[in-house]
Amino acid sequence: IGTRVIIGGRVESAWVERGNFDLDDTTDRVDQWVSRIQLLGSAQLTSSIEAYSKVSLNRSALLQDATLVSRQDVEVQEAYLVAHRVGGSPVTVQLGRQRFRDSREWFFDEYLDAARVSATFGVWSVEGAVADGVLAGPVADRDRKDKRHLIASVSRPLGGRGKVGGFLVRRDDRGPADDDPMWLGSILDSK
């Protein structure tokens, strides 16, 4: 729409038949229909500030042993503001619900509420964020208000053969468990 606003989306739908999951003598059958309508929008508010959103309407119907269970929900996957080159610097600031994932997706691939700062200094890329809910167990069991995470990473290209770097993920659990683990690691990603 004009030169500053982009709107798009996609529609997905599938029918899945699954049978005999537990491999016992009686054949179990589960039929499931899933569909998703996803709308995406991006607006260039100024030359360096952008707003982005991704919203999904999800529907599913599960038929098992002649019982039909249906579900519908609306999910705001992403909704954030991003400011590039803050004050003419190499720093980018991103605020709101955004996607976090490491390149191998070993630790996380999640949509989280966060404040993120990233910068590039020569060949070095640095990123830091404060986010809620990463590495907090199954989504259904999370209490995002009790778990805050500090995420930091640094990386640089390794010639033309990939990249090398390190990361830190530290949890501040303010809930009843008061569990505050920290993960440190290095990354060697070769092409």
Side-chain angles (χ1 to χ4, degrees):
I1 302 174
T3 59
R4 294 187 169 265
V5 177
I6 298 171
I7 295 176
R10 83 176 143 199
V11 176
E12 299 172 304
S13 188
W15 181 266
V16 181
E17 294 179 16
R18 295 180 265 171
N20 204 18
F21 288 114
D22 49 14
L23 302 176
D24 62 7
D25 292 337
T26 61
T27 301
D28 303 327
R29 180 171 169 178
V30 177
D31 294 326
Q32 184 176 20
W33 170 71
V34 293
S35 67
R36 173 169 44 178
I37 299 172
Q38 196 172 62
L39 294 173
L40 299 90
S42 177
Q44 192 71 41
L45 304 177
T46 69
S47 62
S48 63
I49 299 176
E50 177 185 352
Y52 178 79
S53 68
K54 182 193 306 184
V55 178
S56 293
L57 171 62
N58 305 303
R59 292 194 75 179
S60 66
L62 183 70
L63 179 62
Q64 181 175 11
D65 300 328
T67 304
L68 180 66
V69 178
S70 63
R71 197 185 105 208
Q72 177 175 321
D73 67 355
V74 175
E75 180 183 11
V76 178
Q77 292 176 304
E78 293 181 86
Y80 60 79
L81 284 173
V82 61
H84 302 282
R85 301 172 308 282
V86 176
S89 72
V91 175
T92 296
V93 176
Q94 190 172 344
L95 302 169
R97 179 168 289 273
Q98 51 197 285
R99 188 172 189 180
F100 281 79
R101 70 176 170 188
D102 63 277
S103 60
R104 302 229 185 252
E105 297 179 11
W106 287 352
F107 281 97
F108 48 85
D109 181 5
E110 300 278 344
Y111 296 101
L112 305 171
D113 299 324
R116 182 188 305 201
V117 177
S118 59
T120 302
F121 302 102
V123 297
W124 292 95
S125 296
V126 180
E127 183 173 287
V130 176
D132 288 339
V134 67
L135 301 175
V139 173
D141 298 335
R142 290 186 196 160
D143 185 353
R144 291 182 182 268
K145 293 178 283 193
D146 287 345
K147 295 182 175 46
R148 179 155 294 138
H149 291 79
L150 171 66
I151 304 166
S153 67
V154 60
S155 65
R156 66 162 287 159
L158 188 61
R161 301 181 309 253
K163 70 178 179 179
V164 63
F167 65 89
L168 167 123
V169 178
R170 184 177 189 293
R171 180 169 64 204
D172 176 19
D173 185 346
R174 297 174 311 281
D178 196 21
D179 183 21
D180 298 332
M182 181 170 53
W183 295 268
L184 289 168
S186 61
I187 303 163
L188 177 58
D189 193 4
S190 61
K191 291 183 180 181

CSV table of all heavy atoms in Angstrom, one decimal, residues 24-86:
chain,number,residue,atom,x,y,z
A,24,ASP,N,0.2,-51.3,19.4
A,24,ASP,CA,-0.4,-52.5,20.0
A,24,ASP,C,-1.3,-53.2,18.9
A,24,ASP,O,-1.3,-52.9,17.8
A,24,ASP,CB,-1.3,-52.1,21.2
A,24,ASP,CG,-2.4,-51.2,20.9
A,24,ASP,OD1,-2.6,-50.9,19.7
A,24,ASP,OD2,-3.1,-50.7,21.8
A,25,ASP,N,-2.0,-54.3,19.4
A,25,ASP,CA,-2.8,-55.1,18.4
A,25,ASP,C,-4.0,-54.3,17.8
A,25,ASP,O,-4.4,-54.6,16.7
A,25,ASP,CB,-3.2,-56.4,19.1
A,25,ASP,CG,-2.0,-57.3,19.4
A,25,ASP,OD1,-1.0,-57.1,18.7
A,25,ASP,OD2,-2.1,-58.1,20.3
A,26,THR,N,-4.6,-53.5,18.6
A,26,THR,CA,-5.7,-52.7,18.1
A,26,THR,C,-5.2,-51.5,17.4
A,26,THR,O,-4.4,-50.7,17.8
A,26,THR,CB,-6.7,-52.3,19.2
A,26,THR,OG1,-6.0,-51.4,20.1
A,26,THR,CG2,-7.2,-53.5,19.9
A,27,THR,N,-5.7,-51.3,16.2
A,27,THR,CA,-5.3,-50.1,15.4
A,27,THR,C,-6.1,-48.9,15.8
A,27,THR,O,-7.3,-48.8,15.6
A,27,THR,CB,-5.5,-50.4,13.9
A,27,THR,OG1,-4.8,-51.6,13.5
A,27,THR,CG2,-5.0,-49.3,13.0
A,28,ASP,N,-5.3,-47.9,16.3
A,28,ASP,CA,-5.9,-46.6,16.7
A,28,ASP,C,-5.8,-45.7,15.4
A,28,ASP,O,-4.9,-45.8,14.7
A,28,ASP,CB,-5.1,-45.9,17.8
A,28,ASP,CG,-5.0,-46.8,19.0
A,28,ASP,OD1,-6.0,-47.6,19.3
A,28,ASP,OD2,-4.0,-46.7,19.7
A,29,ARG,N,-6.9,-44.9,15.2
A,29,ARG,CA,-6.8,-44.0,14.1
A,29,ARG,C,-7.3,-42.6,14.6
A,29,ARG,O,-8.2,-42.5,15.3
A,29,ARG,CB,-7.7,-44.5,13.0
A,29,ARG,CG,-7.7,-43.5,11.8
A,29,ARG,CD,-8.4,-44.0,10.7
A,29,ARG,NE,-8.5,-42.9,9.7
A,29,ARG,CZ,-9.1,-43.0,8.5
A,29,ARG,NH1,-9.5,-44.2,8.1
A,29,ARG,NH2,-9.2,-42.0,7.7
A,30,VAL,N,-6.5,-41.6,14.2
A,30,VAL,CA,-6.8,-40.3,14.6
A,30,VAL,C,-6.7,-39.5,13.3
A,30,VAL,O,-5.7,-39.5,12.5
A,30,VAL,CB,-5.7,-39.7,15.6
A,30,VAL,CG1,-6.0,-38.2,15.8
A,30,VAL,CG2,-5.8,-40.5,16.9
A,31,ASP,N,-7.8,-38.8,13.0
A,31,ASP,CA,-7.9,-37.9,11.8
A,31,ASP,C,-7.9,-36.4,12.3
A,31,ASP,O,-8.6,-36.1,13.3
A,31,ASP,CB,-9.1,-38.1,11.0
A,31,ASP,CG,-9.1,-39.5,10.3
A,31,ASP,OD1,-8.0,-39.9,10.0
A,31,ASP,OD2,-10.2,-40.1,10.2
A,32,GLN,N,-7.1,-35.6,11.7
A,32,GLN,CA,-7.0,-34.2,12.2
A,32,GLN,C,-7.0,-33.3,11.0
A,32,GLN,O,-6.2,-33.5,10.0
A,32,GLN,CB,-5.8,-34.0,13.0
A,32,GLN,CG,-5.7,-32.6,13.6
A,32,GLN,CD,-4.5,-32.4,14.6
A,32,GLN,OE1,-3.5,-33.2,14.5
A,32,GLN,NE2,-4.6,-31.4,15.4
A,33,TRP,N,-7.8,-32.2,11.1
A,33,TRP,CA,-7.8,-31.2,10.1
A,33,TRP,C,-7.2,-29.9,10.8
A,33,TRP,O,-7.7,-29.5,11.8
A,33,TRP,CB,-9.2,-30.9,9.6
A,33,TRP,CG,-9.3,-29.7,8.7
A,33,TRP,CD1,-8.8,-29.5,7.5
A,33,TRP,CD2,-9.9,-28.4,9.1
A,33,TRP,NE1,-9.1,-28.2,7.0
A,33,TRP,CE2,-9.8,-27.6,8.0
A,33,TRP,CE3,-10.6,-28.0,10.2
A,33,TRP,CZ2,-10.3,-26.3,8.0
A,33,TRP,CZ3,-11.1,-26.7,10.3
A,33,TRP,CH2,-10.9,-25.9,9.2
A,34,VAL,N,-6.2,-29.3,10.2
A,34,VAL,CA,-5.6,-28.1,10.7
A,34,VAL,C,-5.6,-27.1,9.6
A,34,VAL,O,-5.4,-27.4,8.4
A,34,VAL,CB,-4.2,-28.3,11.3
A,34,VAL,CG1,-4.2,-29.2,12.5
A,34,VAL,CG2,-3.3,-28.9,10.2
A,35,SER,N,-5.8,-25.8,10.0
A,35,SER,CA,-5.7,-24.7,9.0
A,35,SER,C,-5.2,-23.5,9.8
A,35,SER,O,-5.4,-23.3,11.0
A,35,SER,CB,-7.1,-24.4,8.4
A,35,SER,OG,-8.0,-23.9,9.3
A,36,ARG,N,-4.6,-22.6,9.0
A,36,ARG,CA,-4.1,-21.4,9.5
A,36,ARG,C,-4.2,-20.3,8.5
A,36,ARG,O,-3.8,-20.5,7.3
A,36,ARG,CB,-2.6,-21.5,10.0
A,36,ARG,CG,-2.0,-20.2,10.4
A,36,ARG,CD,-0.7,-20.3,11.0
A,36,ARG,NE,0.3,-21.2,10.4
A,36,ARG,CZ,1.5,-21.4,10.8
A,36,ARG,NH1,1.9,-20.8,11.9
A,36,ARG,NH2,2.3,-22.2,10.2
A,37,ILE,N,-4.7,-19.1,8.9
A,37,ILE,CA,-4.7,-17.9,8.1
A,37,ILE,C,-3.7,-17.0,8.8
A,37,ILE,O,-3.9,-16.7,10.0
A,37,ILE,CB,-6.1,-17.3,8.0
A,37,ILE,CG1,-7.0,-18.3,7.3
A,37,ILE,CG2,-6.0,-16.0,7.2
A,37,ILE,CD1,-8.5,-17.8,7.3
A,38,GLN,N,-2.7,-16.5,8.1
A,38,GLN,CA,-1.6,-15.7,8.7
A,38,GLN,C,-1.6,-14.4,7.9
A,38,GLN,O,-1.5,-14.4,6.7
A,38,GLN,CB,-0.3,-16.4,8.6
A,38,GLN,CG,0.8,-15.9,9.4
A,38,GLN,CD,2.0,-16.8,9.4
A,38,GLN,OE1,2.6,-17.0,8.3
A,38,GLN,NE2,2.3,-17.3,10.5
A,39,LEU,N,-1.7,-13.3,8.7
A,39,LEU,CA,-1.6,-11.9,8.1
A,39,LEU,C,-0.3,-11.3,8.6
A,39,LEU,O,0.0,-11.3,9.8
A,39,LEU,CB,-2.8,-11.1,8.5
A,39,LEU,CG,-4.1,-11.5,8.0
A,39,LEU,CD1,-5.2,-10.7,8.6
A,39,LEU,CD2,-4.1,-11.4,6.5
A,40,LEU,N,0.4,-10.7,7.7
A,40,LEU,CA,1.7,-10.0,8.0
A,40,LEU,C,1.6,-8.6,7.5
A,40,LEU,O,1.1,-8.3,6.5
A,40,LEU,CB,2.9,-10.7,7.3
A,40,LEU,CG,3.1,-12.1,7.7
A,40,LEU,CD1,2.4,-13.1,6.8
A,40,LEU,CD2,4.6,-12.4,7.6
A,41,GLY,N,2.2,-7.7,8.4
A,41,GLY,CA,2.1,-6.3,8.0
A,41,GLY,C,3.4,-5.6,8.4
A,41,GLY,O,4.0,-5.9,9.5
A,42,SER,N,3.9,-4.7,7.6
A,42,SER,CA,5.1,-3.9,7.8
A,42,SER,C,4.9,-2.5,7.4
A,42,SER,O,4.3,-2.2,6.4
A,42,SER,CB,6.3,-4.5,7.1
A,42,SER,OG,7.5,-3.8,7.3
A,43,ALA,N,5.3,-1.6,8.3
A,43,ALA,CA,5.1,-0.1,8.0
A,43,ALA,C,6.4,0.6,8.3
A,43,ALA,O,7.0,0.4,9.4
A,43,ALA,CB,4.0,0.5,8.8
A,44,GLN,N,7.0,1.3,7.3
A,44,GLN,CA,8.2,2.1,7.5
A,44,GLN,C,7.7,3.5,8.0
A,44,GLN,O,7.2,4.3,7.3
A,44,GLN,CB,8.9,2.3,6.1
A,44,GLN,CG,10.3,2.8,6.2
A,44,GLN,CD,11.2,1.8,6.8
A,44,GLN,OE1,11.2,0.6,6.5
A,44,GLN,NE2,12.1,2.3,7.7
A,45,LEU,N,7.8,3.7,9.4
A,45,LEU,CA,7.3,4.9,10.0
A,45,LEU,C,8.2,6.1,9.7
A,45,LEU,O,7.7,7.2,9.5
A,45,LEU,CB,7.2,4.6,11.5
A,45,LEU,CG,6.3,3.4,11.9
A,45,LEU,CD1,6.3,3.2,13.4
A,45,LEU,CD2,4.9,3.6,11.4
A,46,THR,N,9.5,5.9,9.8
A,46,THR,CA,10.5,6.9,9.4
A,46,THR,C,11.6,6.2,8.6
A,46,THR,O,11.5,5.0,8.4
A,46,THR,CB,11.1,7.6,10.6
A,46,THR,OG1,12.0,6.7,11.3
A,46,THR,CG2,10.1,8.1,11.6
A,47,SER,N,12.6,6.9,8.2
A,47,SER,CA,13.7,6.3,7.5
A,47,SER,C,14.4,5.2,8.3
A,47,SER,O,15.1,4.3,7.7
A,47,SER,CB,14.7,7.4,7.0
A,47,SER,OG,15.3,8.0,8.1
A,48,SER,N,14.3,5.3,9.6
A,48,SER,CA,15.1,4.3,10.4
A,48,SER,C,14.2,3.5,11.4
A,48,SER,O,14.7,2.6,12.1
A,48,SER,CB,16.2,4.9,11.2
A,48,SER,OG,15.7,5.9,12.1
A,49,ILE,N,12.9,3.8,11.4
A,49,ILE,CA,12.0,3.1,12.4
A,49,ILE,C,10.9,2.3,11.6
A,49,ILE,O,10.2,2.9,10.7
A,49,ILE,CB,11.3,4.1,13.4
A,49,ILE,CG1,12.4,4.7,14.2
A,49,ILE,CG2,10.3,3.3,14.2
A,49,ILE,CD1,11.9,5.8,15.1
A,50,GLU,N,10.8,1.0,11.9
A,50,GLU,CA,9.8,0.2,11.2
A,50,GLU,C,8.9,-0.5,12.2
A,50,GLU,O,9.4,-0.9,13.3
A,50,GLU,CB,10.6,-0.9,10.4
A,50,GLU,CG,9.8,-1.9,9.7
A,50,GLU,CD,10.7,-2.9,9.0
A,50,GLU,OE1,11.9,-2.8,9.0
A,50,GLU,OE2,10.1,-3.9,8.5
A,51,ALA,N,7.7,-0.8,11.9
A,51,ALA,CA,6.7,-1.6,12.7
A,51,ALA,C,6.4,-2.8,11.9
A,51,ALA,O,6.3,-2.8,10.7
A,51,ALA,CB,5.5,-0.8,13.0
A,52,TYR,N,6.3,-4.0,12.6
A,52,TYR,CA,6.0,-5.2,12.0
A,52,TYR,C,5.1,-6.1,12.8
A,52,TYR,O,5.2,-6.0,14.1
A,52,TYR,CB,7.3,-6.0,11.8
A,52,TYR,CG,7.1,-7.4,11.1
A,52,TYR,CD1,7.0,-7.5,9.7
A,52,TYR,CD2,7.1,-8.5,11.9
A,52,TYR,CE1,6.8,-8.7,9.1
A,52,TYR,CE2,6.9,-9.8,11.3
A,52,TYR,CZ,6.7,-9.8,9.9
A,52,TYR,OH,6.5,-11.1,9.3
A,53,SER,N,4.2,-6.8,12.2
A,53,SER,CA,3.3,-7.7,12.9
A,53,SER,C,3.0,-9.0,12.1
A,53,SER,O,3.0,-8.9,10.9
A,53,SER,CB,2.0,-7.0,13.3
A,53,SER,OG,1.3,-6.8,12.2
A,54,LYS,N,2.8,-10.1,12.8
A,54,LYS,CA,2.4,-11.3,12.2
A,54,LYS,C,1.4,-11.9,13.1
A,54,LYS,O,1.7,-12.3,14.3
A,54,LYS,CB,3.6,-12.3,12.1
A,54,LYS,CG,3.3,-13.6,11.4
A,54,LYS,CD,4.3,-14.7,11.5
A,54,LYS,CE,5.7,-14.3,11.1
A,54,LYS,NZ,6.6,-15.5,11.2
A,55,VAL,N,0.2,-12.1,12.6
A,55,VAL,CA,-1.0,-12.6,13.4
A,55,VAL,C,-1.5,-13.8,12.7
A,55,VAL,O,-1.7,-13.8,11.5
A,55,VAL,CB,-2.0,-11.5,13.6
A,55,VAL,CG1,-3.2,-12.0,14.4
A,55,VAL,CG2,-1.5,-10.3,14.2
A,56,SER,N,-1.8,-14.9,13.5
A,56,SER,CA,-2.4,-16.1,12.9
A,56,SER,C,-3.7,-16.5,13.5
A,56,SER,O,-3.9,-16.4,14.7
A,56,SER,CB,-1.4,-17.3,13.1
A,56,SER,OG,-0.2,-17.1,12.4
A,57,LEU,N,-4.7,-16.9,12.7
A,57,LEU,CA,-5.9,-17.5,13.1
A,57,LEU,C,-5.8,-19.0,12.9
A,57,LEU,O,-5.6,-19.4,11.7
A,57,LEU,CB,-7.1,-16.9,12.3
A,57,LEU,CG,-8.4,-17.6,12.6
A,57,LEU,CD1,-8.9,-17.5,14.0
A,57,LEU,CD2,-9.5,-17.1,11.6
A,58,ASN,N,-5.7,-19.8,14.0
A,58,ASN,CA,-5.5,-21.2,13.9
A,58,ASN,C,-6.8,-21.9,14.2
A,58,ASN,O,-7.5,-21.6,15.2
A,58,ASN,CB,-4.4,-21.6,14.9
A,58,ASN,CG,-3.2,-20.8,14.7
A,58,ASN,OD1,-2.6,-20.8,13.6
A,58,ASN,ND2,-2.7,-20.2,15.7
A,59,ARG,N,-7.1,-23.0,13.4
A,59,ARG,CA,-8.3,-23.8,13.6
A,59,ARG,C,-7.8,-25.3,13.5
A,59,ARG,O,-7.0,-25.6,12.6
A,59,ARG,CB,-9.4,-23.6,12.7
A,59,ARG,CG,-10.0,-22.2,12.8
A,59,ARG,CD,-11.3,-22.1,12.1
A,59,ARG,NE,-12.3,-22.9,12.9
A,59,ARG,CZ,-13.6,-23.0,12.5
A,59,ARG,NH1,-14.0,-22.4,11.4
A,59,ARG,NH2,-14.4,-23.7,13.3
A,60,SER,N,-8.4,-26.1,14.3
A,60,SER,CA,-8.1,-27.6,14.2
A,60,SER,C,-9.3,-28.4,14.6
A,60,SER,O,-10.1,-27.9,15.5
A,60,SER,CB,-6.9,-28.0,15.0
A,60,SER,OG,-7.1,-27.9,16.4
A,61,ALA,N,-9.5,-29.5,14.1
A,61,ALA,CA,-10.5,-30.4,14.4
A,61,ALA,C,-9.9,-31.8,14.5
A,61,ALA,O,-9.2,-32.3,13.6
A,61,ALA,CB,-11.7,-30.4,13.4
A,62,LEU,N,-10.1,-32.5,15.6
A,62,LEU,CA,-9.5,-33.8,15.9
A,62,LEU,C,-10.6,-34.8,16.0
A,62,LEU,O,-11.5,-34.7,16.8
A,62,LEU,CB,-8.7,-33.8,17.1
A,62,LEU,CG,-7.9,-35.0,17.5
A,62,LEU,CD1,-6.7,-35.3,16.5
A,62,LEU,CD2,-7.4,-34.9,18.9
A,63,LEU,N,-10.6,-35.9,15.2
A,63,LEU,CA,-11.6,-37.0,15.2
A,63,LEU,C,-10.9,-38.2,15.7
A,63,LEU,O,-10.0,-38.8,15.0
A,63,LEU,CB,-12.2,-37.2,13.8
A,63,LEU,CG,-13.3,-38.3,13.8
A,63,LEU,CD1,-14.5,-38.0,14.7
A,63,LEU,CD2,-13.7,-38.4,12.3
A,64,GLN,N,-11.3,-38.7,16.9
A,64,GLN,CA,-10.7,-39.9,17.5
A,64,GLN,C,-11.8,-40.7,18.1
A,64,GLN,O,-12.5,-40.2,19.0
A,64,GLN,CB,-9.6,-39.6,18.4
A,64,GLN,CG,-8.9,-40.8,19.0
A,64,GLN,CD,-7.8,-40.4,19.9
A,64,GLN,OE1,-7.6,-39.2,20.3
A,64,GLN,NE2,-7.0,-41.4,20.3
A,65,ASP,N,-11.9,-42.0,17.8
A,65,ASP,CA,-12.9,-42.9,18.3
A,65,ASP,C,-14.3,-42.2,18.3
A,65,ASP,O,-15.1,-42.2,19.3
A,65,ASP,CB,-12.6,-43.2,19.8
A,65,ASP,CG,-11.3,-43.9,19.9
A,65,ASP,OD1,-10.9,-44.7,18.9
A,65,ASP,OD2,-10.6,-43.7,20.9
A,66,ALA,N,-14.7,-41.7,17.1
A,66,ALA,CA,-16.0,-41.0,16.9
A,66,ALA,C,-16.3,-39.8,17.7
A,66,ALA,O,-17.4,-39.4,17.9
A,66,ALA,CB,-17.1,-42.1,17.0
A,67,THR,N,-15.2,-39.2,18.3
A,67,THR,CA,-15.4,-38.0,19.1
A,67,THR,C,-14.6,-36.9,18.4
A,67,THR,O,-13.5,-37.0,18.0
A,67,THR,CB,-14.7,-38.2,20.5
A,67,THR,OG1,-15.3,-39.3,21.2
A,67,THR,CG2,-14.9,-36.9,21.3
A,68,LEU,N,-15.4,-35.8,18.2
A,68,LEU,CA,-14.8,-34.6,17.5
A,68,LEU,C,-14.5,-33.5,18.5
A,68,LEU,O,-15.3,-33.1,19.3
A,68,LEU,CB,-15.8,-34.1,16.5
A,68,LEU,CG,-15.3,-32.9,15.7
A,68,LEU,CD1,-14.2,-33.2,14.7
A,68,LEU,CD2,-16.5,-32.3,14.8
A,69,VAL,N,-13.2,-33.1,18.5
A,69,VAL,CA,-12.8,-32.0,19.3
A,69,VAL,C,-12.2,-30.9,18.4
A,69,VAL,O,-11.3,-31.2,17.7
A,69,VAL,CB,-11.7,-32.5,20.3
A,69,VAL,CG1,-11.2,-31.3,21.2
A,69,VAL,CG2,-12.2,-33.6,21.2
A,70,SER,N,-12.8,-29.7,18.5
A,70,SER,CA,-12.3,-28.6,17.7
A,70,SER,C,-11.7,-27.5,18.6
A,70,SER,O,-12.1,-27.3,19.7
A,70,SER,CB,-13.4,-28.1,16.7
A,70,SER,OG,-14.4,-27.5,17.5
A,71,ARG,N,-10.8,-26.7,18.0
A,71,ARG,CA,-10.2,-25.7,18.7
A,71,ARG,C,-9.9,-24.5,17.7
A,71,ARG,O,-9.6,-24.7,16.6
A,71,ARG,CB,-8.9,-26.2,19.3
A,71,ARG,CG,-8.3,-25.3,20.3
A,71,ARG,CD,-6.9,-25.8,20.8
A,71,ARG,NE,-6.0,-24.9,20.2
A,71,ARG,CZ,-4.8,-25.1,19.8
A,71,ARG,NH1,-4.3,-26.3,19.9
A,71,ARG,NH2,-4.0,-24.2,19.3
A,72,GLN,N,-10.0,-23.3,18.2
A,72,GLN,CA,-9.7,-22.1,17.4
A,72,GLN,C,-9.0,-21.1,18.3
A,72,GLN,O,-9.4,-20.9,19.5
A,72,GLN,CB,-11.0,-21.5,16.8
A,72,GLN,CG,-10.8,-20.3,16.1
A,72,GLN,CD,-12.1,-19.8,15.4
A,72,GLN,OE1,-12.9,-20.6,14.9
A,72,GLN,NE2,-12.3,-18.5,15.4
A,73,ASP,N,-8.0,-20.5,17.8
A,73,ASP,CA,-7.4,-19.4,18.6
A,73,ASP,C,-6.7,-18.4,17.7
A,73,ASP,O,-6.5,-18.6,16.5
A,73,ASP,CB,-6.3,-20.0,19.6
A,73,ASP,CG,-5.1,-20.6,18.9
A,73,ASP,OD1,-5.1,-20.7,17.7
A,73,ASP,OD2,-4.2,-21.0,19.6
A,74,VAL,N,-6.5,-17.2,18.2
A,74,VAL,CA,-5.8,-16.2,17.5
A,74,VAL,C,-4.4,-16.0,18.2
A,74,VAL,O,-4.4,-15.9,19.4
A,74,VAL,CB,-6.6,-14.8,17.5
A,74,VAL,CG1,-5.7,-13.7,16.9
A,74,VAL,CG2,-7.9,-15.0,16.8
A,75,GLU,N,-3.4,-16.0,17.5
A,75,GLU,CA,-2.0,-15.9,18.0
A,75,GLU,C,-1.3,-14.7,17.4
A,75,GLU,O,-1.1,-14.6,16.2
A,75,GLU,CB,-1.3,-17.2,17.8
A,75,GLU,CG,0.1,-17.3,18.3
A,75,GLU,CD,0.8,-18.5,17.9
A,75,GLU,OE1,0.3,-19.3,17.1
A,75,GLU,OE2,1.9,-18.8,18.4
A,76,VAL,N,-0.8,-13.8,18.3
A,76,VAL,CA,0.1,-12.7,17.8
A,76,VAL,C,1.5,-13.3,17.9
A,76,VAL,O,2.0,-13.3,19.0
A,76,VAL,CB,-0.1,-11.5,18.7
A,76,VAL,CG1,0.8,-10.4,18.2
A,76,VAL,CG2,-1.6,-11.0,18.6
A,77,GLN,N,2.0,-13.7,16.8
A,77,GLN,CA,3.4,-14.3,16.8
A,77,GLN,C,4.4,-13.2,16.9
A,77,GLN,O,5.4,-13.3,17.7
A,77,GLN,CB,3.6,-15.1,15.6
A,77,GLN,CG,2.7,-16.3,15.6
A,77,GLN,CD,2.9,-17.1,14.3
A,77,GLN,OE1,2.7,-16.6,13.2
A,77,GLN,NE2,3.2,-18.4,14.4
A,78,GLU,N,4.3,-12.1,16.2
A,78,GLU,CA,5.2,-11.0,16.2
A,78,GLU,C,4.5,-9.7,16.2
A,78,GLU,O,3.5,-9.6,15.4
A,78,GLU,CB,6.2,-11.1,15.1
A,78,GLU,CG,7.2,-12.3,15.1
A,78,GLU,CD,8.1,-12.3,14.0
A,78,GLU,OE1,9.2,-11.6,14.1
A,78,GLU,OE2,7.8,-13.0,13.0
A,79,ALA,N,5.0,-8.7,17.0
A,79,ALA,CA,4.4,-7.4,16.9
A,79,ALA,C,5.5,-6.5,17.6
A,79,ALA,O,5.7,-6.5,18.8
A,79,ALA,CB,3.1,-7.3,17.7
A,80,TYR,N,6.3,-5.8,16.8
A,80,TYR,CA,7.4,-5.1,17.3
A,80,TYR,C,7.7,-3.8,16.6
A,80,TYR,O,7.3,-3.6,15.4
A,80,TYR,CB,8.7,-5.9,17.4
A,80,TYR,CG,9.2,-6.5,16.1
A,80,TYR,CD1,10.0,-5.7,15.3
A,80,TYR,CD2,9.0,-7.8,15.7
A,80,TYR,CE1,10.4,-6.1,14.1
A,80,TYR,CE2,9.5,-8.3,14.5
A,80,TYR,CZ,10.2,-7.4,13.7
A,80,TYR,OH,10.7,-7.9,12.5
A,81,LEU,N,8.5,-2.9,17.2
A,81,LEU,CA,9.1,-1.8,16.6
A,81,LEU,C,10.6,-2.0,16.6
A,81,LEU,O,11.2,-2.5,17.5
A,81,LEU,CB,8.8,-0.5,17.4
A,81,LEU,CG,7.4,0.1,17.4
A,81,LEU,CD1,7.3,1.2,18.4
A,81,LEU,CD2,7.1,0.6,16.0
A,82,VAL,N,11.2,-1.6,15.5
A,82,VAL,CA,12.6,-1.7,15.3
A,82,VAL,C,13.2,-0.4,14.9
A,82,VAL,O,12.7,0.2,13.9
A,82,VAL,CB,13.1,-2.9,14.4
A,82,VAL,CG1,12.5,-2.7,13.0
A,82,VAL,CG2,14.6,-3.1,14.4
A,83,ALA,N,14.3,0.1,15.5
A,83,ALA,CA,14.9,1.3,15.1
A,83,ALA,C,16.4,0.9,14.7
A,83,ALA,O,17.1,0.4,15.5
A,83,ALA,CB,15.0,2.3,16.3
A,84,HIS,N,16.7,1.2,13.4
A,84,HIS,CA,18.0,0.9,12.8
A,84,HIS,C,18.9,2.2,13.0
A,84,HIS,O,18.4,3.3,13.0
A,84,HIS,CB,17.8,0.6,11.4
A,84,HIS,CG,16.9,-0.6,11.1
A,84,HIS,ND1,17.3,-1.9,11.3
A,84,HIS,CD2,15.6,-0.6,10.7
A,84,HIS,CE1,16.3,-2.7,11.0
A,84,HIS,NE2,15.3,-2.0,10.6
A,85,ARG,N,20.2,1.9,13.1
A,85,ARG,CA,21.2,3.0,13.1
A,85,ARG,C,20.8,4.1,14.1
A,85,ARG,O,20.8,5.3,13.7
A,85,ARG,CB,21.4,3.5,11.7
A,85,ARG,CG,21.9,2.4,10.7
A,85,ARG,CD,21.9,2.9,9.3
A,85,ARG,NE,20.7,3.5,8.8
A,85,ARG,CZ,19.6,2.9,8.4
A,85,ARG,NH1,19.6,1.6,8.5
A,85,ARG,NH2,18.5,3.6,8.0
A,86,VAL,N,20.6,3.7,15.4
A,86,VAL,CA,20.1,4.7,16.4
A,86,VAL,C,21.2,5.8,16.5
A,86,VAL,O,22.3,5.5,16.8
A,86,VAL,CB,19.9,4.0,17.7
A,86,VAL,CG1,19.6,5.0,18.8
A,86,VAL,CG2,18.8,2.9,17.6
